[in-house]
Amino acid sequence: MKNKTNSRVIAIVLAMLTIISSAIPAFAADMEIYTYDGNDIISSVNVTATIADGSDVYDPENPDAGDDGFVNGKIQVGVPTSITINGTTDANGYYVGSASGKVKGNISGATVISVVPDDEVTLTSQGKTDVVAPIEQDYTQFVVSTSEYSGSKVNKFVTPNFNDKAVFDVTIKTKDLSAGTWSGSFNYNISVVNTTVAALGNRVTSWNVSATDEDNVWMSYYQANTRQATAPTRGGTTIEKYEDGTVVVSGTGKMEDAVNKHFFDLEGMTKQLNILIWEYLEENLSNDEYNAITDIVPEGAQTWYYTAAHVLNSNLSDYTTASDIVKKFRDAEDYAMRRVSANDYMLYVPKRVIVMDGVTNISESAFNSCTFLTEVDLGNTIKSIENFAFTNCYNIEGITIPDGCEKIGDAFNVTHKIDVINVPASVKELAGSVAFAYKKMEIDPANPYYFIEDGVIYTKDGKTLHGLTKDSSSDLVVREGVETINNGVFQKKMDSLTLPSTLNEMGNNVFGNYSDVDVICKSQRGYDLMMELIAAKENTPMAFKGTVTLSIN
């Protein structure tokens, strides 16, 4: 690391709004120092600055980006250099003055920005003796939330953009003043320190993926740092290096749904899908059908097929005609999806996801279709894993659900290499239907809500059949005591099914496509439920194809 004294001090007189809105997204080998009084940049400041070894950020939409799409970013530090105290005391008899500053920068996890004021300031007032007062500052060191760095005055809420949580407050407090107006000026020593050089690799870019304004969750994508041949050590412990394709989710609270959208050129992919959908419709619909569609959905409209299908169902008076056209919309989508590979539209290629402590959920569809993803590490604060979170991530080799997780949704469809799902005792809500029909399941015996018997998931009271697992038998005997069978439970091929004498209720679409099964009912109520199901599905593609026998001892 190179040192330069006072050579990077830049006197810029601009409104603070200019700093806030300017697109300087990254940390690089440059630093800009400003003075800041909470509203405006007011002058340059006498500091000792250091050059920082960092990485540029990939931001091809930025007008300052080079031909390769990378922007030479900067660290920005805004500091106060003067303070004014009016001669009135607080309730404790102190004269108090305050100011604030800000830090901005895309900083690697091993980098610390140090912003340290003078220990004291000389306060002057016309016609009075000078008073020396101590300077206090709540945060003097700034790191990203993924950093292992710790200290007494560390703020981990540094993000690629200014925000309220990156503000530090400076306070002058003394009892030695008298009535009147007092003011003083002071200096800062500002430096950048790498506690471990490039331990985490180079962060290419970050996104705010907070679910609400109350959350503060950031997702960062890293590329390997080729300057670091081996993983460094700190205190004898090897520090993990983030390799190409590492995604780190950090901060506090919930992440928004479908954070995977940041990895793909969704606009380009959607445009191509829609071109193919309309191409198919034009070639495969009659003129009357095509005109009926374009009267409702503009020709060539950039809309997903199911949105258009919903609009058609709502607006075409002839339900039969609507159903036929909706089916052709679905055929059009299948045609398009077979010809468009999501991998062709990937801007980033996630290979490993690390979710840090502080993040409380894996959101719906969070990493859906990240097909190169092989490893997922979940923080201990995760409370829920929502539906489709890892759907189509068929290269993930395993996952550990942390103790304390309370909800596991239908999150692991088409994840062939994940063979076993371990359910902690803390899980209160477990996806039903076929969510785990092709997985092995292990439920902590201490779980007060669910248990597994012969590969079947039941509620703890034994009254509800919740779902099947990979280990359920093709000749399934539902345990006695079960009163309710949930929706869609038997959508898995079976040869025979024995329903208990205690059965009182069955959910919708219980058999789905796998209805060629011999069912034995041990009660009249169970037999009647099967007859109702058969009548409801008669003359439909989902019609029951098996046999039903009443067998009462």
Side-chain angles (χ1 to χ4, degrees):
M1 184 177 295
K2 302 174 182 178
N3 291 318
K4 291 189 179 181
T5 301
N6 299 334
S7 62
R8 290 291 173 181
V9 176
I10 304 174
I12 300 179
V13 182
L14 294 170
M16 192 60 198
L17 287 175
T18 304
I19 285 189
I20 294 173
S21 61
S22 63
I24 304 179
F27 157 74
D30 203 356
M31 181 190 292
E32 293 184 351
I33 311 298
Y34 306 96
T35 57
Y36 172 63
D37 68 354
N39 296 296
D40 298 309
I41 299 169
I42 53 178
S43 67
S44 62
V45 56
N46 182 24
V47 301
T48 300
T50 59
I51 297 293
D53 293 323
S55 63
D56 297 343
V57 157
Y58 182 71
D59 185 10
E61 301 301 320
N62 192 309
D64 295 327
D67 293 338
D68 58 359
F70 282 83
V71 180
N72 177 28
K74 295 178 176 68
I75 295 173
Q76 291 184 316
V77 180
V79 295
T81 56
S82 62
I83 202 160
T84 299
I85 303 175
N86 291 319
T88 56
T89 62
D90 64 11
N92 296 315
Y94 283 97
Y95 295 89
V96 180
S98 61
S100 62
K102 288 190 176 184
V103 174
K104 175 183 180 178
N106 190 5
I107 310 162
S108 72
T111 299
V112 181
I113 293 183
S114 179
V115 184
V116 182
D118 291 341
D119 292 334
E120 55 188 27
V121 60
T122 299
L123 300 172
T124 63
S125 182
Q126 188 172 3
K128 298 179 181 180
T129 302
D130 292 352
V131 174
V132 176
I135 299 174
E136 297 180 4
Q137 187 167 300
D138 54 353
Y139 296 110
T140 58
Q141 295 166 319
F142 299 84
V143 294
V144 294
S145 58
T146 55
S147 176
E148 296 181 12
Y149 186 82
S150 61
S152 59
K153 290 190 173 184
V154 179
N155 187 325
K156 291 191 174 186
F157 288 105
V158 177
T159 69
N161 297 290
F162 274 123
N163 63 64
D164 292 340
K165 292 182 178 179
V167 172
F168 58 88
D169 294 320
V170 185
T171 304
I172 311 294
K173 187 169 69 172
T174 179
K175 291 184 177 182
D176 295 336
L177 303 185
S178 59
T181 299
W182 296 76
S183 61
S185 298
F186 50 95
N187 295 317
Y188 273 82
N189 189 310
I190 300 175
S191 60
V192 178
V193 180
N194 279 36
T195 57
T196 304
V197 177
L200 303 182
N202 292 333
R203 184 166 63 181
V204 176
T205 192
S206 294
W207 304 273
N208 186 334
V209 294
S210 303
T212 70
D213 291 341
E214 301 299 317
D215 302 302
N216 185 51
V217 181
W218 285 79
M219 182 170 71
S220 300
Y221 182 89
Y222 286 82
Q223 66 181 9
N225 189 334
T226 55
R227 295 171 301 175
Q228 180 185 313
T230 59
T233 61
R234 183 187 303 143
T237 301
T238 299
I239 305 301
E240 184 176 37
K241 175 187 172 187
Y242 291 171
E243 301 289 351
D244 272 335
T246 299
V247 176
V248 177
V249 183
S250 60
T252 55
K254 292 184 176 182
M255 68 174 80
E256 65 183 355
D257 290 346
V259 297
N260 63 338
K261 63 178 174 285
H262 297 288
F263 305 136
F264 294 92
D265 174 14
L266 292 183
E267 183 177 351
M269 184 167 59
T270 302
K271 182 177 180 180
Q272 183 60 24
L273 284 169
N274 276 279
I275 289 172
L276 293 171
I277 285 171
W278 284 98
E279 175 185 289
Y280 181 93
L281 294 173
E282 188 171 4
E283 292 178 359
N284 291 277
L285 269 65
S286 68
N287 288 337
D288 288 344
E289 289 173 328
Y290 194 81
N291 290 336
I293 288 175
T294 54
D295 285 344
I296 300 168
V297 180
E299 186 174 21
Q302 296 254 336
T303 176
W304 284 104
Y305 87 97
Y306 48 76
T307 305
H310 175 74
V311 172
L312 288 167
N313 259 332
S314 302
N315 289 277
L316 289 173
S317 57
D318 185 341
Y319 180 78
T320 303
T321 302
S323 295
D324 290 343
I325 295 177
V326 167
K327 182 181 183 303
K328 289 179 179 178
F329 255 96
R330 290 172 178 158
D331 291 341
E333 188 232 16
D334 290 342
Y335 167 84
M337 292 298 288
R338 286 195 300 271
R339 286 159 177 78
V340 174
S341 170
N343 289 342
D344 293 338
Y345 292 87
M346 292 194 80
L347 302 174
Y348 305 91
V349 183
K351 298 177 182 178
R352 179 186 183 189
V353 169
I354 300 173
V355 182
M356 306 295 287
D357 286 353
V359 180
T360 58
N361 77 322
I362 306 299
S363 62
E364 184 168 315
S365 299
F367 301 101
N368 193 329
S369 298
C370 291
T371 56
F372 294 93
L373 193 59
T374 61
E375 188 175 351
V376 177
D377 301 318
L378 300 182
N380 294 320
T381 54
I382 292 296
K383 295 297 182 185
S384 68
I385 302 173
E386 301 294 340
N387 292 339
F388 320 121
F390 298 103
T391 294
N392 295 319
C393 295
Y394 42 76
N395 280 309
I396 297 177
E397 297 178 355
I399 193 164
T400 299
I401 311 297
D403 291 338
C405 183
E406 297 178 352
K407 176 184 178 181
I408 303 176
D410 188 359
F412 302 105
N413 281 322
V414 199
T415 53
H416 308 306
K417 292 186 178 181
I418 299 178
D419 189 43
V420 180
I421 302 291
N422 292 291
V423 180
S426 54
V427 170
K428 302 175 182 178
E429 185 177 346
L430 197 60
S433 187
V434 292
F436 306 110
Y438 302 99
K439 303 285 184 194
K440 291 181 178 292
M441 294 282 288
E442 294 181 4
I443 297 180
D444 190 317
N447 187 292
Y449 305 98
Y450 303 98
F451 71 95
I452 291 180
E453 182 179 274
D454 298 329
V456 181
I457 305 172
Y458 297 100
T459 55
K460 199 70 171 186
D461 60 8
K463 294 183 178 181
T464 301
L465 195 161
H466 186 76
L468 305 184
T469 74
K470 184 177 183 178
D471 293 330
S472 62
S473 173
S474 59
D475 295 307
L476 181 61
V477 178
V478 180
R479 75 191 316 266
E480 283 294 319
V482 168
E483 299 175 2
T484 302
I485 295 175
N486 282 350
N487 296 339
V489 164
F490 301 127
Q491 295 189 47
K492 178 181 177 184
K493 182 172 175 55
M494 293 183 294
D495 296 322
S496 67
L497 170 67
T498 301
L499 301 178
S501 62
T502 50
L503 184 63
N504 188 55
E505 182 180 0
M506 283 200 300
N508 298 322
N509 197 26
V510 171
F511 291 97
N513 292 318
Y514 298 105
S515 57
D516 189 5
V517 56
D518 296 327
V519 180
I520 301 168
C521 304
K522 289 190 173 183
S523 70
Q524 185 65 48
R525 175 58 179 165
Y527 183 83
D528 292 342
L529 288 170
M530 286 300 303
M531 292 300 103
E532 291 173 10
L533 180 148
I534 291 171
K537 295 294 184 181
E538 193 174 5
N539 301 321
T540 74
M542 308 292 284
F544 186 79
K545 302 177 181 65
T547 65
V548 181
T549 303
L550 177 62
S551 177
I552 302 176
N553 294 331

